[in-house]
Amino acid sequence: IDPQNIQECVKDALKMCARKDFTSISFPALGTGNVQVSQVADAMFDALVEVVAKKSVSTLRLVRIVIFQTAMLTEFYNSMLKKENTDVQEEEDTDAQEANFFTESNKPQKPERFVFMDKEVDPACFHICGDSQAKVDEAKQWVKDLILKEQDSSIITDDAIINLTTSDRQRISNMINTMGVRVEQESSQDKLTIEGITKDVLKVTNEIQKMLQRIRSEEELSRSAELASTVVEWQYQQQGGQYQSFDLIHNFRLEQANETKKQHVEVTIQGRMYKVTLPNGPATDNHGNSLDIRRIDKAAHDSLPQYWDTMPDNYLCQSFPIQPGTSEHDEVLGLFQATCQNSVLKIERIQNPSLWRNLQIKKQEMDSKNCHQNNEKRLFHGTCPLIIDTINANGFNRSYAGKNAAVYGNGTYFAVEASYSADDTYSVPDSQGQKHMYLCHVLTGDFTEGQRDMIAPPAKSKSTTQLYDSVTDDPTAPSMFIVFNDIQAYPAYLITFI
């Protein structure tokens, strides 16, 4: 008997396992009485590697080599180590194939869930040998514990994840490649799971959080710019040419500077930096070239409510307490107490000319589009005391949708009855137990039933691109309305109650 005969014998036995769909086989240490132990080990492992690589054993899961003489164990172990580095071209995963003589081989399993950005990683194989199964199991558990000790995971849940740019995704991919972490995006698209070595997970998590913070800031700027463009338009005129409009961002920054009484602001026009003198121009570059500037007030014709109090020129918004006993106070109190018996401590009128004009422009558009005037309702919205100033200054923000409930879409929710909004879930008590609720002007327009995860109202029919203006829980008897455009609601009165 020689090593070649041993190799052929093992191959034949493995092929027989394939034909008979066997799942395991045990070999003795063949021919060790006539051939050197190292040669026997090499021949047997060569046969095993060759047959497994050809995928000719689809059912075989376990191969044992039984060694009765302890002195032979080292030779077989050394041979196995040599085969570990054998370059075998496999056509499919052979993770389940094991070479076991009190030995176990473990490779990482492919993830079943969708992976945000995957990286092909060469698996690390551990071959554990011992003189008993118990000791092999003990060593295996020790290795597992050691790996887990250095591993960590982090979960980021944020609506801004869906807006990660191509550049952001490439940066995450680069971090995956350099640090060996795994980043997985859930099917809901708003959750990322980062797994890997603790320090790498922390670094990647911090970098992703910075990306998301930038995205949120950009979204807020874009939203503010869009709102400003509905009220005012800044334009520039080159010599001999027609007036041209600034882009939305520059338009917003010019208006912001004008409202805060700044004397100058820098803008970029056709790639060149200009310094604008406010409020009437001109805009001048470093070479002394100048452009005429003008501001068009789109809402100049929209008058503010006559019952509003006079505001200082430098105030963008202001709240005014409403005196009990006045018709204005009685009207708001009556709407609140129609369904809610909580004690009202005070009622304040919120005056924000910019937000009010935005609402009026949107209402005119909706009245014309829908061919009727029944587009506005007075509805309630419970709030947290921490964001009252933000709502007063900037209006409602649909980006906060889903903080309490988003069963009918990811918009801003308004209740028909004050009793619904008075719940602690929506009107969050402050440290003194006082709660807050807005009575709002809301442009509900034409509406239909909402659905979870909606980010905009659906189309009115399959044959049109015209959308509904809002959605509700029940079109026949609504208890709430959801709007997806921030300028469709105005926080008219703030009610403080207990």
Side-chain angles (χ1 to χ4, degrees), residues 304-311 349-353 356 490:
L304 299 175
Q306 293 183 356
Y307 56 84
W308 275 19
D309 290 307
T310 302
M311 294 172 56
R349 184 197 316 119
I350 309 304
Q351 295 187 188
N352 187 318
W356 177 263
Y490 179 83

Side-chain angles (χ1 to χ4, degrees), residues 366-495:
M366 202 175 287
D367 289 347
S368 174
K369 173 176 66 75
N370 294 339
C371 299
H372 63 78
Q373 307 295 312
N374 187 27
N375 293 302
E376 182 178 341
K377 300 183 185 299
R378 290 204 284 184
L379 304 171
F380 296 95
H381 181 88
T383 192
C384 168
L386 298 177
I387 62 172
I388 286 175
D389 291 341
T390 299
I391 292 176
N392 291 352
N394 304 305
F396 298 102
N397 189 339
R398 64 190 180 279
S399 297
Y400 297 126
K403 301 303 181 187
N404 295 317
V407 177
Y408 300 102
N410 297 334
T412 305
Y413 283 62
F414 299 90
V416 173
E417 298 182 346
S419 57
Y420 185 92
S421 295
D423 188 280
D424 287 358
T425 303
Y426 312 112
S427 296
V428 181
D430 62 17
S431 59
Q432 297 177 331
Q434 298 180 2
K435 303 199 286 186
H436 304 84
M437 181 192 307
Y438 285 101
L439 175 62
C440 312
H441 295 280
V442 184
L443 300 177
T444 56
D446 293 340
F447 51 85
T448 187
E449 185 174 355
Q451 295 180 5
R452 185 180 294 276
D453 296 329
M454 273 187 172
I455 60 174
K460 290 185 175 181
S461 70
K462 294 182 179 179
S463 60
T464 180
T465 57
Q466 191 175 103
L467 306 181
Y468 283 99
D469 302 301
S470 64
V471 299
T472 181
D473 60 329
D474 183 356
T476 59
S479 67
M480 65 181 69
F481 288 87
I482 301 91
V483 300
F484 302 89
N485 189 329
D486 297 328
I487 64 174
Q488 281 183 230
Y490 179 83
Y493 294 95
L494 179 63
I495 304 168

Side-chain angles (χ1 to χ4, degrees), residues 120-375:
E120 292 296 330
V121 180
D122 292 333
C125 263
F126 290 87
H127 294 275
I128 305 172
C129 301
D131 54 12
S132 70
Q133 185 66 49
K135 290 187 177 180
V136 169
D137 291 341
E138 182 182 353
K140 178 181 174 182
Q141 188 60 49
W142 180 82
V143 172
K144 283 185 176 180
D145 292 343
L146 191 63
I147 294 172
L148 291 174
K149 183 180 178 181
E150 296 298 324
Q151 295 292 302
D152 194 10
S153 65
S154 174
I155 297 176
I156 301 175
T157 302
D158 198 308
D159 292 338
I161 289 173
I162 197 173
N163 294 321
L164 286 168
T165 65
T166 301
S167 176
D168 293 331
R169 293 173 182 272
Q170 184 58 52
R171 284 179 59 198
I172 296 174
S173 180
N174 291 341
M175 287 189 287
I176 289 173
N177 290 331
T178 56
M179 299 183 196
V181 296
R182 180 169 178 267
V183 179
E184 180 181 341
Q185 186 172 12
E186 300 292 338
S187 57
S188 61
Q189 301 291 305
D190 63 352
K191 182 185 291 186
L192 292 179
T193 302
I194 301 101
E195 298 174 337
I197 297 176
T198 302
K199 64 181 181 63
D200 294 332
V201 168
L202 179 61
K203 184 173 182 179
V204 172
T205 300
N206 289 338
E207 289 299 316
I208 293 177
Q209 290 285 16
K210 290 178 183 178
M211 297 178 194
L212 298 176
Q213 180 59 47
R214 190 205 74 241
I215 290 171
R216 287 192 293 270
S217 298
E218 290 173 352
E219 288 177 345
E220 184 63 28
L221 176 60
S222 177
R223 174 177 173 272
S224 299
E226 183 179 352
L227 290 175
S229 69
T230 65
V231 179
V232 66
E233 182 176 338
W234 285 83
Q235 299 178 338
Y236 63 91
Q237 182 187 39
Q238 294 179 322
Q239 189 173 10
Q242 295 181 338
Y243 273 98
Q244 301 180 55
S245 300
F246 283 94
D247 61 62
L248 291 181
I249 301 300
H250 278 103
N251 185 76
F252 169 68
R253 287 176 174 161
L254 282 163
E255 183 61 17
Q256 195 176 41
N258 187 56
E259 289 179 347
T260 55
K261 306 300 181 183
K262 288 186 177 180
Q263 294 183 341
H264 301 94
V265 63
E266 291 186 341
V267 299
T268 302
I269 301 175
Q270 296 180 348
R272 182 177 297 178
M273 185 68 69
Y274 284 82
K275 186 176 183 180
V276 179
T277 301
L278 296 173
N280 300 315
T284 308
D285 68 9
N286 293 333
H287 302 289
N289 301 314
S290 63
L291 305 175
D292 290 333
I293 298 293
R294 72 179 183 185
R295 177 183 182 273
I296 298 176
D297 189 349
K298 292 183 176 180
H301 62 284
D302 295 321
S303 60
L304 299 175
Q306 293 183 356
Y307 56 84
W308 275 19
D309 290 307
T310 302
M311 294 172 56
D313 291 339
N314 61 338
Y315 276 50
L316 302 181
C317 72
Q318 191 173 0
S319 62
F320 291 87
I322 308 302
Q323 294 302 316
T326 63
S327 59
E328 185 178 9
H329 187 279
D330 290 346
E331 180 184 15
V332 176
L333 183 63
L335 292 171
F336 178 87
Q337 291 183 337
T339 63
C340 187
Q341 301 308 309
N342 294 60
S343 298
V344 173
L345 302 179
K346 65 178 177 178
I347 299 174
E348 299 168 86
R349 184 197 316 119
I350 309 304
Q351 295 187 188
N352 187 318
S354 177
L355 290 180
W356 177 263
R357 290 184 177 118
N358 286 336
L359 184 81
Q360 299 311 308
I361 291 172
K362 188 65 178 177
K363 185 177 185 301
Q364 291 175 9
E365 174 193 317
M366 202 175 287
D367 289 347
S368 174
K369 173 176 66 75
N370 294 339
C371 299
H372 63 78
Q373 307 295 312
N374 187 27
N375 293 302

